[in-house]
Amino acid sequence: MKPQILTRLGAWSKGAAQKALDLAMPPHCPVTREEIASSEALAPRAWAAAHFIEAPYCTRCGVPFAADYGEEIECPACIAEPPDFAHARAALVYDDASHGLIVGFKHGDRTELAAMFGRWMARAGEDLATGSSILVPVPLHARRLRERRFNQSALLAQALARETGAGLCLDGLLRRRATPPQKDLSAEGRKRNVSGAFGVRDDKARLRFRDAHVVLVDDVLTTGATLSAAARALKRAGASQVDALVLARVVKGGIGAI
């Protein structure tokens, strides 16, 4: 049997199995906990609460603007201190609604949500993640990976690769040392925390990254310190350009604050 036919049969079988499981054990919305028809959907109230990021936004970091200031405009933060990645884009504003989604995904074993998130991220980063890009998830330290059992950024990168046809390198970038959680640190503390934390695994990975367009994939962008530290490691390995694509990003002051 031809490989293409086997691939289609495999996809059909997986889809049929998921539908059967949804019928037997109806899934629940990770935000509202309401029963929903598909594991790759949200309840209407959750959809209404989600704030997807649309233009206009900073051409560098992707933070949404309250008004259209013109093309190729950067926000004050990027002008004052440019990040080490060329561009960053996010599908959602990180707020109460998206927090519930991400917590369910990372800590509630709702890993099936990765497929839906991948579609959202592909739309947000349609100019970044292309067939000529290499998607690289921000890695967890080995100890954290053992505790969590999966890297949520790797699941997002895999889903994004299926949506965009971009290349995928799951283990080329590594976290050299365990770093404390970033959530309670200041912006300066975050920089110090992840400084020198990332490196390229080996010569094989270094060869793949050389002269490549790399897109870092992560779940949340807060200050950009982690993505900048990872971007520096990739550029030292010879990447020609490093961009970033995340599921959600923090917007100081709320939506349209800039």
Side-chain angles (χ1 to χ4, degrees), residues 126-135 161 164-168 208-215 240-241 243:
E126 60 183 354
D127 295 332
L128 299 187
T130 68
S132 59
S133 309
I134 300 175
L135 303 176
T164 63
L168 183 63
R208 187 169 186 193
F209 293 144
R210 188 178 301 161
D211 298 323
H213 172 222
V214 178
V215 179
S240 62
Q241 180 173 319
D243 292 316

Side-chain angles (χ1 to χ4, degrees), residues 133-180:
S133 309
I134 300 175
L135 303 176
V136 175
V138 172
L140 294 176
H141 187 265
R143 186 193 311 158
R144 182 71 58 82
L145 184 59
R146 285 194 298 270
E147 293 171 354
R148 188 172 292 167
R149 306 188 311 281
F150 65 89
N151 179 0
Q152 72 278 359
S153 298
L155 295 182
L156 292 174
Q158 289 172 314
L160 193 55
R162 289 191 292 270
E163 293 292 326
T164 63
L168 183 63
C169 185
L170 292 176
D171 60 356
L173 185 68
L174 54 81
R175 194 177 288 248
R176 288 172 167 161
R177 57 182 175 81
T179 53

Side-chain angles (χ1 to χ4, degrees), residues 1-250:
M1 192 175 289
K2 292 183 178 180
Q4 298 94 326
I5 297 175
L6 287 172
T7 301
R8 290 186 188 126
L9 283 173
W12 179 86
S13 298
K14 184 178 179 181
Q18 184 62 59
K19 287 178 182 178
L21 182 60
D22 288 347
L23 285 172
M25 300 176 62
H28 291 78
C29 175
V31 178
T32 67
R33 308 308 303 166
E34 297 172 77
E35 189 174 301
I36 51 179
S38 168
S39 58
E40 295 183 9
L42 298 179
R45 284 193 297 128
W47 277 113
H51 293 110
F52 289 90
I53 294 177
E54 306 283 353
Y57 44 65
C58 170
T59 189
R60 186 73 176 244
C61 75
V63 67
F65 288 147
D68 191 345
Y69 301 114
E71 295 182 1
E72 302 299 315
I73 300 298
E74 295 188 8
C75 68
C78 285
I79 293 172
E81 190 171 357
D84 289 279
F85 48 80
H87 308 93
R89 297 292 181 264
L92 295 162
V93 171
Y94 187 73
D95 53 16
D96 289 343
S98 58
H99 172 78
L101 279 170
I102 293 169
V103 167
F105 175 52
K106 289 172 63 172
H107 305 296
D109 289 332
R110 294 296 303 270
T111 56
E112 78 280 0
L113 294 172
M116 179 172 65
F117 295 158
R119 291 194 293 272
W120 296 353
M121 293 170 69
R123 177 176 175 272
E126 60 183 354
D127 295 332
L128 299 187
T130 68
S132 59
S133 309
I134 300 175
L135 303 176
V136 175
V138 172
L140 294 176
H141 187 265
R143 186 193 311 158
R144 182 71 58 82
L145 184 59
R146 285 194 298 270
E147 293 171 354
R148 188 172 292 167
R149 306 188 311 281
F150 65 89
N151 179 0
Q152 72 278 359
S153 298
L155 295 182
L156 292 174
Q158 289 172 314
L160 193 55
R162 289 191 292 270
E163 293 292 326
T164 63
L168 183 63
C169 185
L170 292 176
D171 60 356
L173 185 68
L174 54 81
R175 194 177 288 248
R176 288 172 167 161
R177 57 182 175 81
T179 53
Q182 297 269 75
K183 63 179 181 178
D184 296 324
L185 300 178
S186 66
E188 190 59 38
R190 287 169 180 259
K191 289 180 191 175
R192 291 195 300 270
N193 190 39
V194 294
S195 179
F198 299 100
V200 172
R201 181 171 298 278
D202 51 28
D203 289 341
K204 182 179 178 182
R206 191 170 286 105
L207 183 62
R208 187 169 186 193
F209 293 144
R210 188 178 301 161
D211 298 323
H213 172 222
V214 178
V215 179
L216 283 163
V217 179
D218 207 0
D219 54 350
V220 179
L221 187 163
T222 304
T223 65
T226 298
L227 291 168
S228 278
R232 288 195 294 273
L234 289 165
K235 288 194 287 187
R236 285 196 299 270
S240 62
Q241 180 173 319
V242 181
D243 292 316
L245 187 50
V246 300
L247 176 57
R249 64 154 300 134
V250 171

